[in-house]
Amino acid sequence: MTAAFPNMLKPLDLGFTQLKNRIVMGSMHTGLEDRFYNYGKLAAYFAERARGGTALMITGGISPNRRGWLLPLGGTMNGLGDVVNHRRVTSAVHAEGGKILMQILHSGRYGYHPFVVSASDRKSPISMFKPRTIKESEILSTIRDYGRCAKLSKLAGYDGVEIMGSEGYLLNQFICNRTNNRKDKWGGSLENRMRLPVEIVKRVRKEVGKDFIICYRLSLIDLVEGGNSWPEIVAIAKALEAAGITILNTGIGWHEARVPTIVTSVPRAAFRKVTANIRKELKIPVMASNRINTPEICDDIIASGDADLISMARPLLADPAFVNKAAAGKPEEINTCIACNQGCLDMTFSGKRSTCLVNPQACAETELVYVKTTRAKKIAVVGGGMAGLSFATVAAERGHDVTLFEAADDIGGQFTMAMNVPGKEEFRETVRYFRAMVKKTSVKVVLNKRVGDADLKAGGFDEVVIATGVTPRTPKIPGIDHPKVLSYPDVLKHGKKVGHRVAVIGAGGIGIDVSEFLLAEHSPQPVDHWLAEWGVDVNSTEPGGLAAPVRHPPLREVYLLQRKEGKKMGQGPGKTTGWVHRLALQHHQVKMLGGVEYVKVDDLGLHIRVGGEDQILDVDNIILCAGQESVKDLLPVDTEGKISDKRFHVIGGAKLAGELDAMRAIREGAELAARL
Ligand code: NAP
Ligand code: SF4
């Protein structure tokens, strides 16, 4: 194998264990770790990533006791029964030549159950449950629980543990004044506040011996008021090093912070400097994390000396063979994580099993399996958007003879618009990936071809997949054909000129995208610019690393409108991303109006009625983002609307336009291709 990214692949000698390279799969809660009957699936998930070249992986959070559960009956390592379950995971990883750490996570006040405890009884703004102040006797038993949990993890075959001390979980809650107002020896001075994590590390080291990895994930920038200052963070890191940790991992921000840290609009490697700063202070290896998703960035971070190791979780969910593809000099074949959170964190926070928008096999490795076909078929795919591309590449990989017809001059469908939205530049990577995959799997791509019934008949296809997507909906409003009115493809795709004052009709995902497009100064946003706008000081001059945000006057005056009342506007479809969009729109002074009735459009602008009162929005342009309708003219249907020709199949937006998202489109394409 050629070392295409030599720094990323350079071995790291930890003294007692040789790591093949610098890439670590960071901890990510998938939901599989919470139920013992899912451990077979969890084993397959990690084995797949070990096979793909990842040298070291870290499990999702496993609680050392009941009080530390993230969710009721969440994953634990408390007894021999747990050891047996976890052995399935460690054996599978070792069989593939990988190594794995078990993350020990005590949720503290972030737990979603009534037994939650914390350093003090301050409720978190993002949690339903008010914590009880943990008693000193319980602190001592918690230290013992961490020790027992680590010892059992060693018995289960793990190569080490990661102690979760960042993102606002229990150990972070002890370390920061924000959540610790204790008057005993576990609160007050920094020495007292860091006593619990330091005692835990000492206890764990005592239980597991010296040849066992202890990684500690420390919050290097809290991004909340009442967080730690840089001198305090350095002192804690040094105390943890002295107590016996092997690796220090970077944690960025608490979950309750109102600064985005991992969503797609966060520039790549935006926080590498905090890792570089701590590396200068320690002798042990230091790991960088957050929004690192390509081999080029990994290589650059290692080469520049900012970190010894790179932690990536979502990018390895998106592509389990990331490391092998990079090592083979084929980065264009990597299915890059676009940091959308839709398939992974949004699922986890809705109590569902994680997956990945761009990789529907993630966490379903034993269920969605692509087996080589024994009867190759001739298949036509009509439409080169996400659904069509997903189907075509999986079907061709399985050995079918696939021709993909696309009416436009390029593949990508709706993604070719999304990737023009500032903060969504990552969507380009998915189009690039599919471009590489159609080539690799020998899909015949026919562009600029609007297929008709005759073409499909003449082609002699065994199967026809209709993936013709959607067309923007034009709402029935008097004056809708006025020259002021533009569609969202006019703006995002065809570059039509837009005036200074704008009304956006429809506040769904695309209405938000269009608003952000109209308000952005740069695409992509430079890291320094982004940090200043969100008020982040990576040197943590002030406690928590917060600074006064730098806001520029908005480029345009934008009204974002919807007919529905009551619903939070500008929320977007994602549970973990909606608040970021909402705050960004507020920063740009977008006026959001719900309960709007659209009366008419004329030379004066957009006439609306809100709460029975008529208003005229004196705007230069009105942009329609009012949802879509399916395009499925080619689908043969009977009088009841059922498909009348068994060779035809329909997927993605063509099947159902409402609530269409790329995740469903890609999954439907892959699932159909797996069974044809
Ligand atoms: P959408 O989310 O369904 O929003 C459509 C908007 O149009 C709604 O605000 C709706 O609100 C309005 N609308 C619907 N019918 C209308 C009519 N007849 N007249 C006036 N307004 C009307 O659709 P979308 O924004 O087009 O997005 C399409 C899909 O792509 C969605 O599933 C979305 O989740 C996905 N997407 C995702 C992202 C992301 O960041 N993950 C970004 C973009 C798109 P009212 O009915 O209240 O007026
Ligand atoms: Fe990345 Fe989105 Fe996949 Fe999550 S769902 S791993 S954020 S591409």
Side-chain angles (χ1 to χ4, degrees), residues 375-396:
R375 204 167 67 85
K377 294 179 182 175
K378 190 172 178 195
I379 304 179
V381 182
V382 190
M386 288 300 119
L389 287 166
S390 171
F391 174 86
T393 51
V394 174

Side-chain angles (χ1 to χ4, degrees), residues 396-466:
E397 181 190 321
R398 291 191 53 222
H400 293 302
D401 172 10
V402 182
T403 305
L404 182 142
F405 299 98
E406 167 56 52
D409 60 1
D410 200 2
I411 58 168
Q414 298 278 312
F415 263 42
T416 57
M417 281 185 271
M419 69 194 197
N420 292 332
V421 174
K424 282 198 160 174
E425 294 82 7
E426 293 291 1
F427 285 57
R428 271 175 216 285
E429 300 295 346
T430 308
V431 179
R432 181 265 306 145
Y433 164 75
F434 276 122
R435 215 184 288 291
M437 294 318 284
V438 289
K439 191 167 166 211
K440 184 173 182 188
T441 57
S442 306
V443 173
K444 295 179 210 85
V445 178
V446 185
L447 297 175
N448 301 306
K449 175 74 185 163
R450 193 166 287 281
V451 176
D453 290 332
D455 300 301
L456 296 177
K457 276 196 190 108
F461 297 106
D462 301 309
E463 310 279 352
V464 178
V465 177
I466 303 297

Side-chain angles (χ1 to χ4, degrees), residues 314-315 317-318 336-345 355-358:
R314 297 174 301 167
L317 195 71
T336 305
C337 164
I338 58 172
C340 63
N341 285 358
Q342 268 178 264
C344 50
L345 296 184
T355 181
C356 171
L357 181 142
V358 298

Side-chain angles (χ1 to χ4, degrees), residues 47-269:
E48 180 79 7
R49 277 131 191 102
R51 221 175 358 264
T54 309
L56 182 67
M57 291 169 282
I58 307 176
T59 67
I62 301 291
S63 173
N65 57 29
R66 192 175 72 156
R67 285 191 297 269
W69 280 342
L70 212 44
L71 295 165
L73 303 171
T76 50
M77 178 61 100
N78 284 337
L80 291 177
D82 291 326
V83 169
V84 172
N85 294 330
H86 283 262
R87 271 215 185 117
R88 298 178 73 181
V89 174
T90 56
S91 316
V93 170
H94 292 155
E96 298 295 343
K99 291 187 189 297
I100 185 159
L101 312 185
M102 188 189 82
Q103 188 188 69
I104 311 179
L105 180 148
H106 190 305
S107 60
R109 68 180 194 159
Y110 280 168
Y112 205 74
H113 56 83
F115 313 110
V116 289
V117 289
S118 182
S120 305
D121 63 356
R122 293 182 194 162
K123 189 176 157 305
S124 146
I126 58 167
S127 179
M128 276 174 64
F129 297 95
K130 186 169 193 279
R132 173 174 66 75
T133 303
I134 188 169
K135 294 186 221 149
E136 176 149 26
S137 59
E138 292 170 325
I139 293 177
L140 296 175
S141 70
T142 299
I143 296 170
R144 288 195 296 276
D145 292 342
Y146 268 83
R148 187 194 57 224
C149 183
K151 192 172 179 178
L152 289 170
S153 75
K154 190 173 179 186
L155 196 60
Y158 284 103
D159 301 281
V161 288
E162 175 173 81
I163 298 172
M164 179 46 158
S166 65
E167 266 76 10
Y169 290 110
L170 182 78
L171 303 185
N172 224 175
Q173 291 160 27
F174 264 84
I175 283 176
C176 289
N177 281 319
R178 176 182 180 80
T179 36
N180 186 344
N181 61 358
R182 299 179 77 95
K183 303 284 177 266
D184 58 10
K185 68 174 187 178
W186 307 95
S189 67
L190 178 65
E191 194 186 352
N192 283 356
R193 284 183 276 129
M194 67 174 161
R195 191 181 305 281
L196 177 59
V198 169
E199 288 304 317
I200 284 174
V201 170
K202 286 184 185 162
R203 179 73 187 214
V204 168
R205 181 53 81 205
K206 191 167 157 225
E207 295 287 353
V208 297
K210 68 179 174 49
D211 289 350
F212 194 69
I213 298 173
I214 304 178
C215 178
Y216 191 98
R217 187 157 184 191
L218 177 67
S219 185
L220 296 186
I221 183 166
D222 293 312
L223 299 176
V224 286
E225 280 166 21
N228 285 320
S229 64
W230 185 247
E232 288 176 318
I233 292 163
V234 172
I236 299 161
K238 287 188 167 172
L240 293 168
E241 184 179 47
I245 63 171
T246 326
I247 301 169
L248 187 97
N249 190 6
T250 300
I252 304 287
W254 290 37
H255 285 321
E256 67 204 58
R258 290 299 89 179
V259 175
T261 57
I262 58 167
V263 301
T264 192
S265 55
V266 176
R268 288 178 178 173

